Amino acid sequence: MDFIAGFFDRIAEALIEQYGEAGPFYAIAAVSIMLVLVAIPLVMRGKKDPLDRFNFREERLKGELVKLRDTDTAQTGGLADYLQPSDKEQMSETRKMLRQAGFNGAGAVRSYYTARFGLCIGLTAVGALITLILPAEPNIGLGVVLTAVFGLLGFLGPVYWVQRSIQTRRDEIQKAFPDAMDMMLVCIEGGQSLDQAMSRVGKEMEAAAGPLAYELGIVSQEFRVGKDRITVLRDFAERCNVNDISSFVTVMIQSTAFGTSISQALRVYAAEMRDKRLMRAEEKANTLPTKLTLGTMFFTVPPLILILVGPSLIQILRAFAQLAGG
């Protein structure tokens, strides 16, 4: 015991000599953060599923059973239960946000909150290491502020990334939707139903418009399993969060409710989509001169002033120099 106590005393003396009186505290904080980072993967590991002990002969049946389990609300124990919201409304809003960003996995919500927590702890540890532990004479106030900023960036970074993913995905879907409308109209006028047309268009647009093709694939799968058509279309509009798709869903629901021709409604709506895409292009073209004004002022006006005023300024300076010399 004396040997162990002497060993820790020597370590404490070395830390105090290197980093001052707060040296042992820095060491304890660094070791604690490392232990937390090591413990996160261990506590996040879920319990073994009891269904895994059954030997299903049909792998497809096993896959369907795994998909039907809602792992977002499963109790995995440990820290994992605290890395997701307990409020059902907040859980629903987070799941909706992640679906709009393209993350439809069963564990997307937990992965999202785990990323926020892990990045917050990790960047906080990095900030403390850079500003408080490595410098020989650290500035405690500045180090605490920078460490807090690092932790805040780690906590808010996934939120910003998800929001950017939502906007990027929404723009891609909006850009490809008019072409999908034209292809869907051709399929329906060729004798296919709305379900078959959406499935065919989704397969044809996989290479050109991945997000829209993925959403159309989900719609066709839900149609096949017998889900209500109106519910499927409304979920489709909610996942995409695009005004054009919401209008399309409204048109399809009204056509189904009133018994009107779907092909005629699609023909009119596809024409409107083409006109709207042309209007968006014209709008961007009209805003281009305004955006170029600032660049023009910075890169054109100063050289022009220099060329026009420069010679006169040089002559004025020479005249003042001659007056001062005379």
Side-chain angles (χ1 to χ4, degrees):
M1 297 296 294
D2 294 337
F3 172 75
I4 297 175
F7 176 73
F8 282 107
D9 289 339
R10 287 194 295 271
I11 293 178
E13 292 175 358
L15 291 172
I16 292 173
E17 182 180 356
Q18 182 70 22
Y19 300 107
E21 295 293 334
F25 170 75
Y26 297 153
I28 293 174
V31 173
S32 301
I33 293 173
M34 292 176 62
L35 290 176
V36 170
L37 294 177
V38 173
I40 286 176
L42 298 178
V43 299
M44 284 299 298
R45 185 169 53 188
K47 296 180 181 179
K48 187 176 181 180
D49 198 321
L51 291 177
D52 291 342
R53 68 178 185 270
F54 295 103
N55 184 16
F56 292 104
R57 294 182 179 180
E58 298 182 2
E59 293 296 329
R60 183 178 179 182
L61 177 60
K62 183 178 179 180
E64 294 297 329
L65 290 174
V66 172
K67 291 180 181 179
L68 290 176
R69 292 198 301 267
D70 189 6
T71 56
D72 281 344
T73 58
Q75 298 296 325
T76 58
L79 185 62
D81 295 336
Y82 300 97
L83 294 181
Q84 58 184 10
S86 57
D87 186 20
K88 293 183 179 180
E89 184 177 356
Q90 185 178 1
M91 172 72 80
S92 177
E93 290 295 328
T94 305
R95 187 183 292 113
K96 177 182 176 181
M97 179 182 67
L98 293 175
R99 284 178 178 175
Q100 291 176 356
F103 305 106
N104 296 306
V109 176
R110 183 177 297 119
S111 300
Y112 170 70
Y113 283 99
T114 303
R116 294 184 66 181
F117 179 78
L119 284 176
C120 179
I121 296 296
L123 290 183
T124 301
V126 171
L129 182 66
I130 295 175
T131 60
L132 296 176
I133 298 176
L134 292 180
E137 297 180 356
N139 188 336
I140 303 299
L142 181 61
V144 171
V145 171
L146 291 179
T147 301
V149 170
F150 272 77
L152 185 62
L153 290 176
F155 186 74
L156 298 179
V159 180
Y160 174 76
W161 181 63
V162 169
Q163 293 297 331
R164 290 293 301 172
S165 300
I166 292 174
Q167 186 61 40
T168 302
R169 191 170 185 268
R170 185 185 303 169
D171 293 340
E172 292 178 359
I173 292 175
Q174 186 174 7
K175 182 179 179 181
F177 190 66
D179 295 332
M181 285 289 93
D182 293 335
M183 296 175 65
M184 198 177 302
L185 177 61
V186 171
C187 293
I188 290 178
E189 289 183 344
Q192 293 184 347
S193 63
L194 179 63
D195 311 351
Q196 295 172 345
M198 296 182 76
S199 177
R200 180 60 182 271
V201 171
K203 292 179 181 179
E204 294 293 334
M205 299 190 70
E206 287 182 355
L212 181 58
Y214 179 77
E215 294 297 336
L216 292 176
I218 293 178
V219 171
S220 62
Q221 291 295 332
E222 289 179 345
F223 280 144
R224 290 178 184 176
V225 299
K227 196 173 179 179
D228 182 63
R229 173 174 294 188
I230 295 178
T231 304
V232 171
L233 292 175
R234 287 177 177 171
D235 292 342
F236 172 52
E238 182 179 350
R239 287 194 307 270
C240 295
N241 194 20
V242 177
N243 293 330
D244 295 343
I245 295 181
S246 299
S247 302
F248 162 75
V249 169
T250 302
V251 170
M252 292 296 100
I253 292 175
Q254 291 178 352
S255 298
T256 304
F258 295 107
T260 58
S261 174
I262 295 180
S263 61
Q264 182 64 27
L266 274 180
R267 186 180 297 107
V268 175
Y269 191 73
E272 291 181 358
M273 287 296 99
R274 288 192 294 270
D275 294 339
K276 189 177 291 186
R277 181 169 57 180
L278 181 61
M279 291 174 61
R280 290 195 188 101
E282 292 177 351
E283 182 181 357
K284 290 183 178 180
N286 291 332
T287 58
L288 188 61
T290 305
K291 295 179 180 179
L292 290 175
T293 301
L294 189 62
T296 304
M297 291 176 61
F298 274 107
F299 297 104
T300 304
V301 175
L304 183 62
I305 293 176
L306 184 62
I307 293 173
L308 296 177
V309 182
S312 301
L313 183 62
I314 293 173
Q315 292 180 2
I316 292 171
L317 293 176
R318 286 178 179 176
F320 277 116
Q322 291 177 0
L323 292 175

